[in-house]
Amino acid sequence: MNDTTARSEQYRGFTISVTPQKDNDDLWDFTYRLQRDGEPEAQAITRSRTLGGYPAPDTACIAGLEVAKTEVDNLLRP
């Protein structure tokens, strides 16, 4: 995986896209986007994570997917 490759996954009616981003300490963070199936792209939720940092872009993507899944779970909670 190179540092500009987004990773996408379907989860509970959402498409999650995570993009790794290099921070200023040579560590990696991520931005993720949640788009509910069937909704316009303009209604997607975008978040950026700049805390902690990860040693590799793939690790940042995995962490981003987990954070995004937690947000989806919270959005769907009654």
Side-chain angles (χ1 to χ4, degrees), residues 58-78:
D58 192 45
T59 308
C61 278
I62 292 167
L65 285 169
E66 292 306 311
V67 170
K69 286 178 182 179
T70 298
E71 182 166 353
V72 168
D73 290 344
N74 288 334
L75 288 169
L76 296 176
R77 186 170 290 149

Side-chain angles (χ1 to χ4, degrees), residues 9-46:
E9 187 174 307
Q10 294 296 120
Y11 181 73
R12 299 184 72 187
F14 286 80
T15 299
I16 300 170
S17 299
V18 180
T19 304
Q21 297 180 321
K22 199 154 201 173
D23 71 12
N24 57 2
D25 292 327
D26 288 334
L27 295 173
W28 293 88
D29 289 309
F30 57 83
T31 298
Y32 68 88
R33 184 176 179 86
L34 303 176
Q35 185 172 352
R36 191 182 298 262
D37 295 346
E39 287 191 348
E41 192 171 324
Q43 291 181 336
I45 299 167
T46 301

